[in-house]
Amino acid sequence: MLDVSGKTAFITGGASGMGWGMAKAFGEAGMKVVIADIRQEALDQAMEGFSKTNLAVYPILLDVTDRDGWAKAADEAEAQFGNIHVLCLNAGVGGGGMVQDMSYKDWDFGLGVNIGGVVNGLVTMLPRMLKHGEEGHIVATSSTGGFSAVGGVAVYCTAKFAVAGMMETVATDLKDTPIGASVFFPGPVQTSLGETTNATRPAHLRNAAPPPPPVAKEGEPPRRPVNFDPSLFMSPEEVGQRVLRGIRRKDLFIMTHPEFRDGIIARNEALLRAIPVEEPDEARAALVRQFGTLIYNPIYDTQKPLTEKL
Ligand code: NAI
């Protein structure tokens, strides 16, 4: 178990939604927390709430796509709270539309924040976390759309699959260091992702006209359930607790919703069905084995089953 008490967390997209939920959970667990976000007004609003508590929370204005901004934010966070131990690369943007309607601007915006922002955080923060040598953990927020593809959100799914692969490889490379890594796969959560996506999209990456809304083909289930009830979405507070548990347990994968089990099974079974039926060639197998984790990565064995409810 990772002992989080007294440690410092840095959370991107920390001013609202899930990032805010993580900040609350971490603060209540005795951590010092930096919330970094692109929206000053959302940081102010979050701090208004946190200032009424005794939690140690500090706001930093940061656009995760800004690499110089990352270096300054890291310096400011360390000046405020010392070494960073837990890094949550959570800032993200949504955005829907059929792949055939996606422009370069749609791809650049979605991948820039959802992949680029995570890469920038990793490149800025990881050397600092390794240098201080204390135990720590990195979590990046993917989505259930990061393990099971969804129609009508091509840019988003591309990015979230990338984040998942990235964190699995990060965990592999860091396995002999004091820094652990998780990929977080939330299902539907009560946040304002749609509005913040629109509010944070820079002018040079806006289309002249928005893409038409995605439509389901005949016979397909609707893109959004007809009786769509956002109150059934998980609360950011519960999400924060689930992420905290995952960090403490040093889980490779952190999930919110057991309801997505079928999607995981369906994709992995499809992969298994696609395996060529020919007998493996011994010489070729020996060659591939020389690539080590290419055939079999023991990092997946590190995921312990969850046996207790939250
Ligand atoms: P949210 O909109 O409440 O939080 C996202 C935060 O990121 C906002 O405060 C926003 O200002 C910030 N942000 C956006 N672009 C930024 C940038 N360039 N630099 C710094 N901060 C930036 O939405 P939510 O849902 O809490 O989003 C958090 C993460 O969860 C995102 O990565 C999202 O893709 C992911 N997610 C959300 C789901 C949901 O149901 N709400 C489901 C699965 C994944």
Side-chain angles (χ1 to χ4, degrees):
M1 291 291 279
L2 183 69
D3 180 12
V4 297
S5 178
K7 293 208 157 72
T8 298
F10 186 105
I11 307 170
T12 67
S16 75
M18 287 189 237
W20 172 87
M22 292 175 206
K24 183 166 183 289
F26 296 179
E28 286 169 358
M31 299 182 79
K32 295 169 275 182
V33 184
V34 173
I35 52 171
D37 206 286
I38 196 174
R39 293 178 304 133
Q40 184 63 56
E41 71 286 2
L43 285 169
D44 293 344
Q45 206 182 334
M47 288 311 295
E48 202 186 312
F50 284 127
S51 65
K52 295 184 186 121
T53 68
N54 58 357
L55 307 186
V57 182
Y58 181 79
I60 294 182
L61 187 65
L62 169 69
D63 175 352
V64 293
T65 66
D66 172 6
R67 293 176 176 169
D68 295 336
W70 261 106
K72 288 190 198 115
D75 288 343
E76 189 178 344
E78 286 171 354
Q80 180 66 24
F81 284 145
N83 292 336
I84 307 294
H85 305 97
V86 170
L87 174 64
C88 294
L89 300 167
N90 164 78
V93 289
M98 303 296 276
V99 69
Q100 51 271 45
D101 298 322
M102 292 294 101
S103 65
Y104 279 130
K105 288 179 177 180
D106 294 321
W107 284 101
D108 287 350
F109 174 53
L111 302 189
V113 178
N114 290 347
I115 303 179
V118 176
V119 171
N120 293 345
L122 203 59
V123 174
T124 304
M125 292 297 204
L126 181 57
R128 293 173 186 244
M129 293 170 76
L130 288 170
K131 193 170 171 205
H132 67 60
E134 294 159 18
E135 255 200 317
H137 204 85
I138 303 173
V139 183
T141 303
S142 174
S143 163
T144 54
F147 57 64
S148 182
V150 192
V153 282
V155 176
Y156 190 73
C157 270
T158 303
K160 295 303 185 179
F161 263 80
V163 166
M166 195 191 305
M167 293 315 287
E168 289 169 34
T169 205
V170 168
T172 306
D173 285 352
L174 297 185
K175 72 177 186 326
D176 298 324
T177 76
I179 309 296
S182 306
V183 49
F184 175 43
F185 295 112
V189 179
Q190 288 163 0
T191 72
S192 312
L193 188 62
E195 292 94 274
T196 57
T197 299
N198 196 36
T200 58
R201 186 162 179 158
H204 73 283
L205 292 179
R206 284 182 187 268
N207 295 311
V215 280
K217 294 199 195 74
E218 208 167 314
E220 263 185 49
R223 297 278 171 221
R224 184 171 265 204
V226 184
N227 299 317
F228 177 73
D229 179 359
S231 74
L232 294 176
F233 286 21
M234 195 170 278
S235 73
E237 283 96 336
E238 182 173 343
V239 165
Q241 292 297 337
R242 289 184 187 278
V243 173
L244 176 61
R245 176 175 67 177
I247 292 171
R248 282 185 164 138
R249 282 167 43 95
K250 302 183 184 177
D251 281 333
L252 176 62
F253 298 135
I254 306 175
M255 298 213 181
T256 53
H257 289 63
E259 293 80 10
F260 284 81
R261 187 185 177 86
D262 287 352
I264 297 172
I265 293 170
R267 182 166 194 274
N268 285 296
E269 286 189 344
L271 286 169
L272 290 171
R273 286 197 299 277
I275 293 175
V277 289
E278 298 88 13
E279 287 301 308
D281 177 290
E282 260 320 301
R284 203 168 50 198
L287 168 78
V288 180
R289 266 197 298 276
Q290 289 171 22
F291 290 99
T293 54
L294 190 63
I295 268 197
Y296 171 75
N297 187 346
I299 199 72
Y300 296 115
D301 299 335
T302 64
Q303 178 64 51
K304 299 177 291 292
L306 267 176
T307 49
E308 290 146 34
K309 292 187 179 154
L310 192 66

